[in-house]
Amino acid sequence: MSRSQRLLTLIDLLRSHRYPVAGKHLAETLEISLRTLYRDIATLQEQGANIEGEAGMGYVLKPGFLLPPLMFNDEEIEALVLGARWVAQRTDSQLSDGAKNALNKIAAVLPPELKNTLDDTSLLIGPSKDTVIDSVNMPEVRLAIRDEKILSITYCDLKDNKTTRRIWPFALGYFDEVRVLVAWCELRQEIRNFRTDRLLTCELEKTRYPTPRHALLKRWRATLHGASTTKAN
């Protein structure tokens, strides 16, 4: 096993434990000496891994993002760049800036030869046939999804019927020509799809909806594999 692969394996081992792991156990699993393990942990810490602990006490990887050098091959870098370019061109300004900043952070931890691959990739995003125009604050919609907050909306359906609703948003689908908000609708008492370009008003409430987002996602995904109860508005 190469050292770069061993470092990635060590990270995976630490990620799989919520509590401190003895250095002896880590060294035995990796089939290395304790001395080598201590050097590897010091290397990962220098590269930004939030590893806490010391010899005799055990080690734990604190939650957070880690992008150690050498973890991407050419195809993975091209996939990251292509995806980030799509987000930068097809989403609202805050998410677009987030994609650009993410690429800058990735570039900062890549060794020179891989950074050149990131800078020089020629995979491009073509122009979209239609520009999606949202009449509501999309960062606020994403915040509602993350924080499991209720949205009060005024919605105009495909027949131009306007209704006022309270919804529990839990997913947002991005397509070239439309964005679709998936939510539990209190008015219809079922999961419904809402095109964001047909949201006339959208107000974020302080109230959290009672069903966890992951449970709503699970319920919605189940409908996609059978007789779907999700209806398009």
Side-chain angles (χ1 to χ4, degrees):
M1 181 188 299
S2 66
R3 184 165 191 258
S4 59
Q5 182 58 52
R6 191 175 72 238
L7 292 176
L8 293 178
T9 302
L10 175 55
I11 283 293
D12 289 337
L13 281 173
L14 290 169
R15 280 197 182 114
S16 66
H17 293 82
R18 295 177 59 188
Y19 302 102
V21 189
K24 181 179 179 181
H25 173 73
L26 294 170
E28 290 176 350
T29 302
L30 295 169
E31 299 181 345
I32 58 177
S33 68
L34 273 173
R35 192 174 194 178
T36 299
L37 174 74
Y38 298 151
R39 284 202 304 264
D40 286 352
I41 287 177
T43 297
L44 289 172
Q45 290 172 330
E46 291 171 0
Q47 294 174 355
N50 190 9
I51 300 173
E52 295 185 356
E54 58 186 57
M57 299 295 293
Y59 297 91
V60 63
L61 178 65
K62 293 296 184 179
F65 295 100
L66 174 67
L67 293 169
L70 302 177
M71 72 176 299
F72 300 120
N73 60 32
D74 289 346
E75 285 72 24
E76 290 167 340
I77 290 176
E78 289 183 339
L80 286 169
V81 174
L82 189 64
R85 285 176 176 173
W86 191 95
V87 172
Q89 292 187 28
R90 299 284 199 274
T91 61
D92 60 82
S93 59
Q94 285 192 18
L95 207 56
S96 175
D97 289 342
K100 297 171 185 175
N101 291 337
L103 277 183
N104 290 334
K105 289 180 179 180
I106 291 171
V109 298
L110 288 176
E113 64 273 15
L114 293 182
K115 186 176 184 300
N116 290 337
T117 300
L118 185 147
D119 292 335
D120 297 338
T121 180
S122 55
L123 301 183
L124 307 174
I125 301 297
S128 178
K129 183 171 64 174
D130 296 308
T131 301
V132 179
I133 299 176
D134 298 301
S135 56
V136 295
N137 188 334
M138 292 305 297
E140 189 171 75
V141 171
R142 294 199 308 275
L143 178 63
I145 294 173
R146 286 196 300 268
D147 292 349
E148 300 180 350
K149 295 292 182 66
I150 293 174
L151 287 174
S152 293
I153 65 170
T154 302
Y155 189 71
C156 182
D157 65 20
L158 297 177
K159 296 181 180 178
D160 289 331
N161 297 316
K162 297 178 183 178
T163 54
T164 300
R165 314 180 186 212
R166 294 174 84 242
I167 62 174
W168 309 350
F170 62 87
L172 186 59
Y174 286 82
F175 303 88
D176 274 347
E177 299 177 12
V178 69
R179 293 170 192 155
V180 177
L181 179 63
V182 188
W184 173 266
C185 178
E186 292 185 356
L187 177 65
R188 304 302 185 195
Q189 286 295 294
E190 60 184 355
I191 295 174
R192 303 298 288 261
N193 295 335
F194 300 92
R195 285 177 45 167
T196 60
D197 59 330
R198 290 185 166 272
L199 290 172
L200 303 180
T201 64
C202 182
E203 181 179 351
L204 178 65
E205 297 190 7
K206 296 182 179 180
T207 308
R208 294 189 65 167
Y209 49 76
T211 304
R213 182 177 68 248
H214 69 85
L216 292 171
L217 269 170
K218 183 177 180 180
R219 187 186 308 177
W220 173 64
R221 284 169 177 159
T223 69
L224 302 180
H225 299 290
S228 176
T229 59
T230 305
K231 300 179 181 178
N233 288 272

